[in-house]
Amino acid sequence: MPANPSTPAVLVCGASGTLGGAVARALHRRGCALGLHRHAHPERLPELPCKAYAADFRDPEQPAALAKAFLSDFGRLDALVWAAGIARDAPAAAQSEADVREVLAVDLSAPFLLAKALARTFLKQKAGSVVFLSSHAALSGRAGGAAYAMAQAGLLSLMKSLAREWGPLGVRVNAVVPPFVRESEMGRAASEAFVEAVARRNVLKLEADPAAEAGRFIADLLENRTACGQVFTLDGRIAI
């Protein structure tokens, strides 16, 4: 449990990724007590004073186990940031059922199961904030990435449903569509044609660190007391 009861306790899922790590660093600068989740690659977690957790979200038992471990260590939860996810891109006609199931398990079922495991804590407190990081694919679809796009669209619907259920009890639930991050694992896996299309469709040509900008925005959003059920798009591409 944090030494200071007034210190916000925050669980960041997917903190070994570029976006999750940027969120963790922004929250650390705000003085939050952090629990950082990763699946593999412990060396990729930000070097911050925190409690680290490993969980493989392909296993439906592990979201609840993660929630239990965090609450045992911290005693409460003030905010949850979901920044985990995988993609298994292929044309729809060639996509294997196994890949579709894996993407849905990690990108959609796992955040639902984690939220379910934390529901009693949030609703008993009648306070807290949840932010799901989604994707531009949820808004516009993705050729060659139907499984990922439909999982991300489902994540936005999950957010809105939780906001309707939990908002009246004081728990704020929102989603953020981050900008494309070339340095992320998914960004590095993207084709040159995809990267060029992102740049072409972006109406904003200013230079900025997209991960750091997203981290700062999410840190602000967790402190915001009025937003609930909203999708915030931090991207210069205009969804059609």
Side-chain angles (χ1 to χ4, degrees):
M1 182 180 295
N4 184 349
S6 65
T7 301
V10 184
L11 174 59
V12 181
C13 293
S16 59
T18 304
L19 282 165
V23 172
R25 286 186 284 272
L27 292 172
H28 172 66
R29 289 192 290 270
R30 303 289 177 94
C32 296
L34 298 174
L36 302 184
H37 154 268
R38 51 89 181 174
H39 170 209
H41 302 295
E43 75 281 359
R44 294 183 185 176
L45 284 175
E47 295 183 359
L48 299 172
C50 66
K51 183 73 175 178
Y53 303 92
D56 182 349
F57 289 141
R58 294 173 296 183
D59 179 350
E61 303 296 327
Q62 295 206 20
L66 172 61
K68 182 177 180 180
F70 182 92
L71 293 173
S72 176
D73 290 334
F74 287 84
R76 72 176 196 278
L77 177 62
D78 296 291
L80 167 67
V81 178
W82 177 268
I86 62 170
R88 298 287 184 267
D89 286 354
Q95 183 90 66
S96 72
E97 184 178 353
D99 281 352
V100 173
R101 290 184 181 276
E102 186 176 27
V103 170
L104 291 175
V106 174
D107 294 3
L108 186 55
S109 293
F112 169 79
L113 293 171
L114 183 60
K116 179 180 178 181
L118 295 169
R120 181 174 297 181
T121 296
F122 274 130
L123 299 182
K124 183 178 179 181
Q125 293 172 170
K126 294 185 178 181
S129 182
V130 179
V131 172
F132 295 111
L133 269 72
S134 183
S135 168
H136 192 266
L139 307 176
S140 62
R142 177 181 291 179
Y148 179 71
M150 67 186 190
Q152 295 300 319
L155 186 62
L156 296 185
S157 291
L158 171 62
M159 176 277 292
K160 293 176 183 179
S161 298
L162 292 178
R164 291 181 183 277
E165 292 184 17
W166 296 2
L169 297 173
V171 182
R172 306 176 310 282
V173 189
N174 293 287
V176 168
V177 174
F180 177 72
V181 179
R182 187 69 170 100
E183 296 75 22
S184 69
E185 186 171 350
M186 290 187 189
R188 291 192 299 271
S191 68
E192 287 303 320
F194 181 86
V195 174
E196 290 173 5
V198 168
R200 186 169 59 251
R201 291 182 58 195
N202 198 323
V203 300
L204 189 64
K205 302 303 179 184
L206 297 178
E207 293 294 330
D209 180 341
E213 292 291 333
R216 285 191 289 270
F217 184 93
I218 291 165
D220 286 338
L221 182 57
L222 291 178
E223 297 176 356
N224 185 286
R225 300 294 174 180
T226 62
C228 190
Q230 305 305 308
V231 179
F232 297 93
T233 303
L234 311 184
D235 197 302
R237 288 173 288 173
I238 299 173
I240 299 174

